[in-house]
Amino acid sequence: MTTSPAHHTDATTPSGHSSPAPPSAPAPTTGVGTATGPGGASGHPGRLPLADRADVRAWVGAFLRGEAARLLLTFALFAAALVAALVGPRLLGHLVESVKAGTTTGRVDLLALAFVAILLCHALLARAARTRATLLGERVLARTRENFVRRVLRLPLSEVESVGTGDLLSRATTDADRLNESIRQAVPRIALAAVTLVFTFAAILLTSPLLALGLLAGVPFAVLSTWWYRPRATRAYERLLGQEADVLAVTHETARGAATVEALGLGPRQVRRHGAAVDQVVRTRQRTTWLQTIWFPSLDLATMVPMALTLLIGGLAYQRGAVGLGALTAVVLYVQALGEPLNDLLTWTDELQIGNAALRRILGVNRLPREEPRPPAATEGHAIRLEGVGFGYGPGREVLSGIDLDIAAGERLVVVGASGAGKSTLGKLLAGVHYPTRGTVRIGGVDIADLPVGQLRREIVLVTQEQHVFTGTVRDNLTLAREEAPPDERLWEALDTVLLTDWARALPDGLDSEIGPGAAPVSPSAAQQLALARLLLSDPHALVLDEATALLDSTASRRVERALAALIEGRTVISIVHRLDSVRDADRIAVMDRGRIVELGSHDQLLAADGAYASLWHSWQITRPDTPRTRPTPDPGPTAG
Ligand SMILES: Nc1ncnc2c1ncn2[C@@H]1O[C@H](COP(=O)(O)OP(=O)(O)OP(=O)(O)O)[C@@H](O)[C@H]1O
């Protein structure tokens, strides 16, 4: 995979400080959606990188620095709640001592009242502390999510294509949820449990240093088992999250490419792939459960043994008069109180490990190159020139080689060739989705790798058969590609050109009607037409049409083709086609075979040459449908479907 020289990696922190680069749009292919077809890039699933420990440490450091005041306040509230909780047993101890010594009922009442007041105090402080911790967690998480989305939007499209969307999706959804769980729940619970344990131990130490000794017996069990468990669990959890991403990737790919899956009968294959991905998850889950079956009992021993020892020592010491009944009562209550925080510590430390693995995945996108803003370049005209272009999706195998091609401004070029010949790849190189591994693609004399994204998008846009309706109003959907919103008349004009006026007028609020997922549904052809209207408004000089109507039924595709015919007026058009029924209208036809352009010329010239094109043409004459479609002229546009 290649990336532009203007790409580099950055770091994002939970405080929202990322490297100072203005957000730039992704690669210029969004005219009618991205170029990843069903089973395309995701058919070669890759994984995004993981952040390393240093990245996670930097993130945690930035979190601690950025939220120091809020953190301190939260911990102070937790500590105050704890002190209140620890005073309770001491008061009960006093009560027992006083009753034994024969105190007045007034004093017993007073102590009981103080006990209730302390309990109330504890409840209020604990509630305030938890609320603070939750708010803090939500703040950090919201910023981390925002940074993630901002960062992903600045990935070169070729990167997104090469990993597929499953891995990205799972990082943005399931991994973010896991991190959320960790920050909101695990961090405060662990902090609370750890502080409770320290305070309780200190209280036991203050009450009776002798009885505190017994508790130390648990330390070796806890340290040894955790030392064994941690690295194994970390690895297993990282594997688990990656495998869960694979499951999501297959699900996503199947849902996105549902039409292709159905058309080609790929259902059983997708079910098998999904099953295999789920099996991996199950196996890793079994592994993590097995690790827990060793760790948890060891930790139970680490808590039970010292508790039993303390009670034993306590009983003996009381018999010998080394501790009083009050101190023994308090210590028994303290030891009992150790159970819950210890349990919390175990469970939530494990949850924190999952959060850590999720964080490494979320921060991993920072390791990828990003689109850097480039200075505007002075182009001369809009001619396109490919010189010695070669390209491979991975090392070792070139899918395009030795391509030299000049496309004049305003020319209509049709690209034909067998499946896998490299037509779509050529289209992506022309539109700057990928950069050539060898040679150059120039527009107006400037290498497209040197053109800023905005400028490149005004020069050339790739139009594929996929389209996307963004959740929002019709106006939002039309003006996405524009920095300044054009006046309403321009929007209506564009809708008129793509034959969508009636559709838009039928919506309840015209241009302000909400459409897209969850709002008014948009048919595939209307979505395509809407995308074409967006393109009209962004007004690029050249269009690469890659089978733009292939997935639509014939009535819908005719409407889209008419809209396309209006769109291509006055622009340079490179059409990638399978059906040859309108190729003769093109200025020139390029025939591709195994990554090369083997013939180039007008329909008549190529027929006269009697080569690859002539035989394609003759076989098309035999196999084409009896009733060729009516189409507006001139329209060398996508004719498939
Ligand atoms: N994302 C990708 N990763 C790896 N290889 C790819 C990718 N996309 C395409 N290829 C390979 O590159 C070669 C050219 O594919 P391309 O899609 O450009 O051909 P095409 O002529 O457009 O085919 P079709 O008419 O079937 O769409 C094929 O061998 C294909 O398997």
Side-chain angles (χ1 to χ4, degrees):
M1 159 207 334
T2 53
T3 54
S4 123
H7 300 154
H8 71 78
T9 59
D10 67 353
T12 319
T13 68
S15 316
H17 310 302
S18 56
S19 310
S24 67
T29 55
T30 45
V32 193
T34 69
T36 314
S42 40
H44 313 264
R47 289 250 181 94
L48 294 163
L50 290 181
D52 64 13
R53 287 213 179 88
D55 296 333
V56 173
R57 266 202 300 276
W59 185 90
V60 173
F63 165 56
L64 295 179
R65 279 191 303 278
E67 301 291 345
R70 284 191 187 81
L71 267 175
L72 275 178
L73 177 65
T74 311
F75 278 110
L77 283 168
F78 273 127
L82 263 174
V83 171
L86 293 171
V87 170
R90 280 306 280 256
L91 277 179
L92 271 188
H94 273 304
L95 195 63
V96 174
E97 291 276 14
S98 316
V99 171
K100 194 179 167 214
T103 188
T104 60
T105 47
R107 190 171 158 72
V108 170
D109 285 350
L110 199 68
L111 280 171
L113 211 64
F115 185 66
V116 171
I118 282 291
L119 280 187
L120 206 66
C121 240
H122 165 73
L124 289 176
L125 286 166
R127 185 172 178 276
R130 286 222 168 88
T131 311
R132 289 260 141 209
T134 305
L135 288 179
L136 186 66
E138 289 295 345
R139 269 172 64 85
V140 176
L141 191 78
R143 241 183 271 121
T144 305
R145 272 188 153 146
E146 279 165 16
N147 282 335
F148 179 82
V149 171
R150 214 173 292 137
R151 187 61 185 77
V152 167
L153 287 177
R154 274 164 44 194
L155 287 181
L157 191 65
S158 53
E159 291 289 339
V160 180
E161 279 222 318
S162 69
V163 290
T165 40
D167 200 22
L168 268 178
L169 265 185
S170 70
R171 287 177 195 226
T173 53
T174 40
D175 292 341
D177 283 343
R178 252 118 187 203
L179 184 64
N180 185 3
E181 184 78 349
S182 275
I183 295 176
R184 281 186 47 208
Q185 306 258 23
V187 171
R189 294 286 191 110
I190 287 173
L192 184 62
V195 178
T196 311
L197 288 175
V198 170
F199 274 43
T200 313
F201 186 70
I204 297 174
L205 206 63
L206 285 177
T207 314
S208 164
L210 175 70
L211 297 186
L213 268 184
L215 290 176
L216 294 180
V219 175
F221 289 100
V223 170
L224 281 177
S225 62
T226 306
W227 177 74
W228 175 85
Y229 175 79
R230 255 197 66 120
R232 288 169 177 77
T234 304
R235 279 197 297 275
Y237 283 132
E238 276 169 14
R239 212 166 46 238
L240 183 68
L241 297 194
Q243 289 164 345
E244 284 179 349
D246 290 345
V247 174
L248 194 68
V250 179
T251 313
H252 181 244
E253 180 191 272
T254 312
R256 241 185 123 196
T260 312
V261 169
E262 196 179 289
L264 301 180
L266 297 178
R269 172 183 173 269
Q270 291 303 92
V271 169
R272 268 198 311 280
R273 288 184 60 198
H274 188 265
V278 170
D279 279 352
Q280 300 268 9
V281 169
V282 171
R283 266 198 291 280
T284 309
R285 278 228 168 271
Q286 281 168 343
R287 164 90 181 149
T288 55
T289 309
W290 179 79
L291 289 172
Q292 285 168 352
T293 58
I294 309 278
W295 189 51
F296 282 166
S298 316
L299 286 171
D300 279 343
L301 272 182
T303 54
M304 295 306 181
V305 169
M307 278 187 198
L309 262 180
T310 308
L311 291 179
L312 196 71
I313 297 171
L316 287 174
Y318 176 66
Q319 271 177 359
R320 298 194 181 168
V323 286
L325 190 57
L328 186 59
T329 311
V331 169
V332 168
L333 288 174
Y334 284 143
V335 168
Q336 254 183 1
L338 283 177
E340 198 187 319
L342 269 173
N343 196 29
D344 270 6
L345 195 68
L346 306 189
T347 325
W348 292 106
T349 306
D350 209 43
E351 191 65 42
L352 195 66
Q353 297 228 98
I354 302 180
N356 178 47
L359 183 61
R360 285 188 65 192
R361 288 171 52 78
I362 293 171
L363 297 182
V365 290
N366 294 335
R367 308 203 131 234
L368 290 169
R370 68 181 165 157
E371 291 279 353
E372 269 306 289
R374 297 160 219 169
T379 50
E380 269 182 42
H382 305 287
I384 301 168
R385 162 168 281 205
L386 284 80
E387 274 176 329
V389 165
F391 178 78
Y393 283 97
R397 187 176 162 245
E398 279 208 325
V399 295
L400 292 183
S401 51
I403 296 201
D404 295 302
L405 181 64
D406 281 304
I407 306 168
E411 185 176 352
R412 304 283 161 90
L413 177 79
V414 165
V415 183
V416 298
S419 182
K423 306 182 293 291
S424 296
T425 308
L426 179 68
K428 287 180 192 172
L429 256 59
L430 282 166
V433 177
H434 298 301
Y435 297 97
T437 28
R438 278 192 296 128
T440 50
V441 178
R442 293 175 196 277
I443 295 184
V446 177
D447 190 334
I448 57 166
D450 295 331
L451 283 175
V453 172
Q455 195 178 352
L456 180 57
R457 201 190 297 125
R458 283 191 298 279
E459 288 295 338
I460 191 161
V461 172
L462 175 67
V463 184
T464 69
Q465 53 196 248
E466 291 179 45
Q467 48 357 76
H468 186 74
V469 177
F470 294 87
T471 307
T473 61
V474 176
R475 186 193 309 280
D476 293 340
N477 269 278
L478 287 175
T479 54
L480 277 171
R482 298 277 304 237
E483 273 153 31
E484 301 143 30
D488 280 7
E489 305 86 77
R490 284 279 296 121
L491 303 186
W492 283 112
E493 242 175 68
L495 287 173
D496 198 38
T497 313
V498 300
L499 314 171
L500 271 188
T501 315
D502 292 345
W503 170 82
R505 291 215 188 280
L507 290 169
D509 300 311
L511 291 176
D512 294 314
S513 310
E514 293 283 335
I515 52 170
V522 182
S523 72
S525 66
Q528 188 87 311
Q529 285 161 273
L530 200 59
L532 296 178
R534 187 155 61 218
L535 271 180
L536 260 178
L537 291 164
S538 71
D539 197 21
H541 289 289
L543 293 170
V544 180
L545 308 177
D546 189 354
E547 307 275 358
T549 55
L551 287 183
L552 298 174
D553 63 56
S554 56
T555 319
S557 109
R558 261 198 296 281
R559 279 180 74 77
V560 175
E561 281 170 12
R562 281 169 60 198
L564 256 176
L567 173 69
I568 62 181
E569 265 318 305
R571 299 178 208 278
T572 314
V573 179
I574 299 115
S575 306
I576 295 163
V577 302
H578 272 147
R579 299 166 61 108
L580 303 187
D581 49 5
S582 66
V583 286
R584 45 196 323 173
D585 299 328
D587 295 320
R588 282 188 304 165
I589 298 156
V591 184
M592 292 198 68
D593 185 29
R594 278 168 283 181
R596 290 177 179 275
I597 295 179
V598 289
E599 283 180 9
L600 182 66
S602 70
H603 173 76
D604 294 338
Q605 284 169 344
L606 294 186
L607 274 191
D610 201 21
Y613 177 75
S615 61
L616 268 178
W617 176 256
H618 294 312
S619 42
W620 168 249
Q621 292 302 305
I622 297 164
T623 57
R624 75 172 174 169
D626 290 329
T627 47
R629 290 184 193 168
T630 50
R631 62 182 54 254
T633 49
D635 179 15
T639 51

Short mmCIF file of all heavy atoms in Angstrom, two decimals, residues 547-584:
data_model
loop_
_atom_site.label_atom_id
_atom_site.label_comp_id
_atom_site.label_asym_id
_atom_site.label_seq_id
_atom_site.Cartn_x
_atom_site.Cartn_y
_atom_site.Cartn_z
N GLU A 547 -18.83 1.95 -12.95
CA GLU A 547 -20.05 1.14 -12.90
C GLU A 547 -21.08 1.78 -11.98
O GLU A 547 -21.70 1.10 -11.16
CB GLU A 547 -19.72 -0.26 -12.35
CG GLU A 547 -18.61 -0.96 -13.08
CD GLU A 547 -19.10 -1.69 -14.31
OE1 GLU A 547 -20.32 -1.67 -14.55
OE2 GLU A 547 -18.28 -2.25 -15.02
N ALA A 548 -21.29 3.09 -12.13
CA ALA A 548 -22.06 3.82 -11.13
C ALA A 548 -23.51 3.40 -11.01
O ALA A 548 -24.14 3.67 -10.01
CB ALA A 548 -21.99 5.32 -11.42
N THR A 549 -24.05 2.70 -11.99
CA THR A 549 -25.46 2.30 -11.87
C THR A 549 -25.62 0.78 -11.84
O THR A 549 -26.72 0.27 -11.96
CB THR A 549 -26.28 2.86 -13.05
OG1 THR A 549 -25.66 2.42 -14.26
CG2 THR A 549 -26.35 4.36 -13.03
N ALA A 550 -24.51 0.08 -11.61
CA ALA A 550 -24.53 -1.38 -11.77
C ALA A 550 -25.51 -2.09 -10.84
O ALA A 550 -26.08 -3.10 -11.20
CB ALA A 550 -23.14 -1.93 -11.57
N LEU A 551 -25.71 -1.57 -9.63
CA LEU A 551 -26.54 -2.30 -8.68
C LEU A 551 -28.02 -1.90 -8.71
O LEU A 551 -28.80 -2.41 -7.95
CB LEU A 551 -26.00 -2.11 -7.25
CG LEU A 551 -24.71 -2.86 -6.91
CD1 LEU A 551 -24.34 -2.62 -5.46
CD2 LEU A 551 -24.85 -4.35 -7.16
N LEU A 552 -28.37 -0.95 -9.58
CA LEU A 552 -29.76 -0.49 -9.59
C LEU A 552 -30.59 -1.30 -10.57
O LEU A 552 -30.07 -1.80 -11.57
CB LEU A 552 -29.80 0.99 -10.00
CG LEU A 552 -29.06 1.95 -9.07
CD1 LEU A 552 -29.06 3.33 -9.68
CD2 LEU A 552 -29.70 1.98 -7.70
N ASP A 553 -31.91 -1.40 -10.29
CA ASP A 553 -32.74 -2.10 -11.28
C ASP A 553 -32.89 -1.18 -12.50
O ASP A 553 -32.56 0.00 -12.46
CB ASP A 553 -34.10 -2.49 -10.68
CG ASP A 553 -34.90 -1.30 -10.27
OD1 ASP A 553 -35.14 -0.44 -11.11
OD2 ASP A 553 -35.28 -1.22 -9.08
N SER A 554 -33.44 -1.72 -13.60
CA SER A 554 -33.29 -0.98 -14.86
C SER A 554 -34.06 0.35 -14.86
O SER A 554 -33.55 1.34 -15.39
CB SER A 554 -33.68 -1.85 -16.04
OG SER A 554 -34.99 -2.31 -15.82
N THR A 555 -35.26 0.40 -14.24
CA THR A 555 -35.99 1.67 -14.25
C THR A 555 -35.21 2.71 -13.47
O THR A 555 -34.99 3.84 -13.92
CB THR A 555 -37.38 1.49 -13.57
OG1 THR A 555 -37.91 0.26 -13.98
CG2 THR A 555 -38.28 2.65 -13.87
N ALA A 556 -34.78 2.30 -12.27
CA ALA A 556 -34.03 3.23 -11.43
C ALA A 556 -32.76 3.64 -12.14
O ALA A 556 -32.37 4.81 -12.14
CB ALA A 556 -33.72 2.57 -10.09
N SER A 557 -32.10 2.67 -12.76
CA SER A 557 -30.80 2.98 -13.36
C SER A 557 -30.98 3.94 -14.54
O SER A 557 -30.13 4.78 -14.80
CB SER A 557 -30.05 1.71 -13.72
OG SER A 557 -30.00 1.51 -15.07
N ARG A 558 -32.14 3.85 -15.23
CA ARG A 558 -32.37 4.80 -16.33
C ARG A 558 -32.48 6.23 -15.80
O ARG A 558 -31.94 7.15 -16.37
CB ARG A 558 -33.64 4.42 -17.11
CG ARG A 558 -33.30 3.65 -18.39
CD ARG A 558 -34.45 3.64 -19.35
NE ARG A 558 -35.62 2.95 -18.83
CZ ARG A 558 -35.74 1.63 -18.81
NH1 ARG A 558 -34.76 0.87 -19.26
NH2 ARG A 558 -36.83 1.07 -18.34
N ARG A 559 -33.17 6.37 -14.67
CA ARG A 559 -33.30 7.71 -14.08
C ARG A 559 -31.92 8.24 -13.69
O ARG A 559 -31.56 9.38 -13.98
CB ARG A 559 -34.15 7.65 -12.80
CG ARG A 559 -35.63 7.63 -13.04
CD ARG A 559 -36.36 7.58 -11.72
NE ARG A 559 -36.33 8.84 -10.99
CZ ARG A 559 -37.09 9.88 -11.30
NH1 ARG A 559 -37.93 9.80 -12.30
NH2 ARG A 559 -37.01 11.00 -10.60
N VAL A 560 -31.12 7.35 -13.06
CA VAL A 560 -29.80 7.79 -12.62
C VAL A 560 -28.93 8.12 -13.83
O VAL A 560 -28.18 9.09 -13.83
CB VAL A 560 -29.14 6.71 -11.72
CG1 VAL A 560 -27.72 7.11 -11.37
CG2 VAL A 560 -29.96 6.51 -10.46
N GLU A 561 -29.08 7.32 -14.88
CA GLU A 561 -28.27 7.59 -16.07
C GLU A 561 -28.63 8.94 -16.70
O GLU A 561 -27.76 9.65 -17.18
CB GLU A 561 -28.42 6.45 -17.08
CG GLU A 561 -27.55 5.27 -16.69
CD GLU A 561 -27.83 4.04 -17.52
OE1 GLU A 561 -28.53 4.15 -18.55
OE2 GLU A 561 -27.34 2.97 -17.14
N ARG A 562 -29.92 9.28 -16.65
CA ARG A 562 -30.32 10.58 -17.19
C ARG A 562 -29.72 11.70 -16.35
O ARG A 562 -29.25 12.71 -16.87
CB ARG A 562 -31.84 10.69 -17.25
CG ARG A 562 -32.37 9.95 -18.48
CD ARG A 562 -33.85 9.79 -18.46
NE ARG A 562 -34.55 11.06 -18.43
CZ ARG A 562 -35.83 11.19 -18.06
NH1 ARG A 562 -36.50 10.14 -17.66
NH2 ARG A 562 -36.40 12.37 -18.08
N ALA A 563 -29.73 11.47 -15.03
CA ALA A 563 -29.12 12.47 -14.13
C ALA A 563 -27.63 12.58 -14.41
O ALA A 563 -27.05 13.67 -14.46
CB ALA A 563 -29.37 12.08 -12.68
N LEU A 564 -27.01 11.41 -14.63
CA LEU A 564 -25.57 11.39 -14.93
C LEU A 564 -25.27 12.12 -16.22
O LEU A 564 -24.29 12.87 -16.32
CB LEU A 564 -25.12 9.94 -15.09
CG LEU A 564 -24.34 9.32 -13.95
CD1 LEU A 564 -24.07 7.87 -14.24
CD2 LEU A 564 -23.03 10.06 -13.73
N ALA A 565 -26.14 11.90 -17.22
CA ALA A 565 -25.92 12.54 -18.52
C ALA A 565 -25.86 14.05 -18.34
O ALA A 565 -25.04 14.73 -18.96
CB ALA A 565 -27.04 12.15 -19.49
N ALA A 566 -26.75 14.57 -17.44
CA ALA A 566 -26.73 16.02 -17.20
C ALA A 566 -25.46 16.42 -16.47
O ALA A 566 -24.88 17.47 -16.75
CB ALA A 566 -27.96 16.40 -16.37
N LEU A 567 -25.05 15.55 -15.57
CA LEU A 567 -23.86 15.89 -14.76
C LEU A 567 -22.59 15.93 -15.60
O LEU A 567 -21.72 16.78 -15.40
CB LEU A 567 -23.71 14.85 -13.63
CG LEU A 567 -22.46 14.95 -12.80
CD1 LEU A 567 -22.49 16.22 -11.95
CD2 LEU A 567 -22.31 13.75 -11.87
N ILE A 568 -22.48 15.00 -16.56
CA ILE A 568 -21.20 14.91 -17.26
C ILE A 568 -21.02 15.99 -18.34
O ILE A 568 -19.91 16.17 -18.85
CB ILE A 568 -20.98 13.51 -17.88
CG1 ILE A 568 -22.05 13.22 -18.93
CG2 ILE A 568 -20.97 12.45 -16.81
CD1 ILE A 568 -21.89 11.83 -19.55
N GLU A 569 -22.09 16.71 -18.67
CA GLU A 569 -21.98 17.78 -19.66
C GLU A 569 -20.78 18.69 -19.36
O GLU A 569 -20.68 19.22 -18.25
CB GLU A 569 -23.25 18.65 -19.62
CG GLU A 569 -24.34 18.30 -20.62
CD GLU A 569 -23.84 17.96 -22.01
OE1 GLU A 569 -23.10 18.77 -22.64
OE2 GLU A 569 -24.17 16.85 -22.43
N GLY A 570 -19.91 18.86 -20.30
CA GLY A 570 -18.82 19.82 -20.17
C GLY A 570 -17.68 19.36 -19.27
O GLY A 570 -16.79 20.13 -18.94
N ARG A 571 -17.69 18.12 -18.85
CA ARG A 571 -16.59 17.64 -17.98
C ARG A 571 -15.80 16.55 -18.69
O ARG A 571 -16.29 15.92 -19.63
CB ARG A 571 -17.14 17.04 -16.68
CG ARG A 571 -17.93 18.01 -15.86
CD ARG A 571 -18.50 17.34 -14.62
NE ARG A 571 -19.72 18.01 -14.23
CZ ARG A 571 -19.78 19.13 -13.52
NH1 ARG A 571 -18.67 19.68 -13.09
NH2 ARG A 571 -20.92 19.70 -13.24
N THR A 572 -14.58 16.34 -18.19
CA THR A 572 -13.81 15.20 -18.65
C THR A 572 -14.43 13.97 -17.98
O THR A 572 -14.70 14.01 -16.78
CB THR A 572 -12.34 15.30 -18.16
OG1 THR A 572 -11.88 16.61 -18.39
CG2 THR A 572 -11.45 14.27 -18.79
N VAL A 573 -14.68 12.92 -18.76
CA VAL A 573 -15.32 11.74 -18.15
C VAL A 573 -14.55 10.49 -18.51
O VAL A 573 -14.28 10.22 -19.68
CB VAL A 573 -16.78 11.60 -18.62
CG1 VAL A 573 -17.41 10.36 -17.98
CG2 VAL A 573 -17.58 12.83 -18.25
N ILE A 574 -14.17 9.75 -17.48
CA ILE A 574 -13.55 8.44 -17.71
C ILE A 574 -14.54 7.42 -17.19
O ILE A 574 -14.83 7.37 -15.99
CB ILE A 574 -12.21 8.33 -16.95
CG1 ILE A 574 -11.24 9.41 -17.46
CG2 ILE A 574 -11.59 6.96 -17.12
CD1 ILE A 574 -10.86 10.43 -16.47
N SER A 575 -15.14 6.63 -18.09
CA SER A 575 -16.16 5.66 -17.68
C SER A 575 -15.59 4.25 -17.73
O SER A 575 -15.05 3.84 -18.75
CB SER A 575 -17.35 5.69 -18.62
OG SER A 575 -17.85 6.97 -18.74
N ILE A 576 -15.77 3.55 -16.62
CA ILE A 576 -15.36 2.14 -16.60
C ILE A 576 -16.62 1.33 -16.84
O ILE A 576 -17.58 1.48 -16.09
CB ILE A 576 -14.73 1.81 -15.23
CG1 ILE A 576 -13.44 2.62 -15.08
CG2 ILE A 576 -14.49 0.32 -15.08
CD1 ILE A 576 -12.95 2.71 -13.67
N VAL A 577 -16.64 0.54 -17.89
CA VAL A 577 -17.90 -0.14 -18.23
C VAL A 577 -17.69 -1.63 -18.49
O VAL A 577 -16.60 -2.08 -18.83
CB VAL A 577 -18.58 0.49 -19.47
CG1 VAL A 577 -18.86 1.95 -19.27
CG2 VAL A 577 -17.71 0.30 -20.72
N HIS A 578 -18.75 -2.38 -18.30
CA HIS A 578 -18.77 -3.79 -18.67
C HIS A 578 -19.59 -3.97 -19.95
O HIS A 578 -19.26 -4.75 -20.81
CB HIS A 578 -19.40 -4.63 -17.55
CG HIS A 578 -18.40 -5.06 -16.54
ND1 HIS A 578 -18.69 -5.20 -15.21
CD2 HIS A 578 -17.09 -5.36 -16.67
CE1 HIS A 578 -17.61 -5.58 -14.56
NE2 HIS A 578 -16.62 -5.67 -15.42
N ARG A 579 -20.71 -3.20 -20.01
CA ARG A 579 -21.57 -3.30 -21.20
C ARG A 579 -21.05 -2.32 -22.26
O ARG A 579 -20.66 -1.21 -21.94
CB ARG A 579 -23.00 -2.94 -20.83
CG ARG A 579 -23.58 -3.86 -19.77
CD ARG A 579 -24.83 -3.24 -19.22
NE ARG A 579 -25.81 -3.07 -20.27
CZ ARG A 579 -26.92 -3.81 -20.38
NH1 ARG A 579 -27.17 -4.73 -19.50
NH2 ARG A 579 -27.75 -3.61 -21.36
N LEU A 580 -21.07 -2.78 -23.49
CA LEU A 580 -20.48 -1.95 -24.55
C LEU A 580 -21.52 -1.17 -25.34
O LEU A 580 -21.22 -0.65 -26.41
CB LEU A 580 -19.67 -2.82 -25.52
CG LEU A 580 -18.55 -3.67 -24.91
CD1 LEU A 580 -17.75 -4.34 -26.01
CD2 LEU A 580 -17.63 -2.83 -24.05
N ASP A 581 -22.78 -1.11 -24.84
CA ASP A 581 -23.82 -0.56 -25.72
C ASP A 581 -23.70 0.92 -26.02
O ASP A 581 -24.35 1.41 -26.92
CB ASP A 581 -25.23 -0.94 -25.23
CG ASP A 581 -25.44 -0.67 -23.77
OD1 ASP A 581 -24.52 -0.11 -23.16
OD2 ASP A 581 -26.50 -1.01 -23.24
N SER A 582 -22.87 1.65 -25.27
CA SER A 582 -22.76 3.07 -25.67
C SER A 582 -21.32 3.50 -25.88
O SER A 582 -21.04 4.69 -25.94
CB SER A 582 -23.42 3.95 -24.61
OG SER A 582 -22.67 3.85 -23.43
N VAL A 583 -20.41 2.52 -25.97
CA VAL A 583 -19.00 2.90 -26.09
C VAL A 583 -18.69 3.67 -27.37
O VAL A 583 -17.75 4.46 -27.40
CB VAL A 583 -18.05 1.69 -26.00
CG1 VAL A 583 -17.95 1.16 -24.60
CG2 VAL A 583 -18.47 0.61 -26.97
N ARG A 584 -19.51 3.45 -28.40
CA ARG A 584 -19.16 4.12 -29.66
C ARG A 584 -19.31 5.63 -29.58
O ARG A 584 -18.79 6.35 -30.43
CB ARG A 584 -19.93 3.54 -30.84
CG ARG A 584 -21.39 3.35 -30.56
CD ARG A 584 -22.07 2.45 -31.56
NE ARG A 584 -21.60 2.61 -32.92
CZ ARG A 584 -21.97 1.83 -33.91
NH1 ARG A 584 -22.81 0.83 -33.69
NH2 ARG A 584 -21.53 2.03 -35.14
#
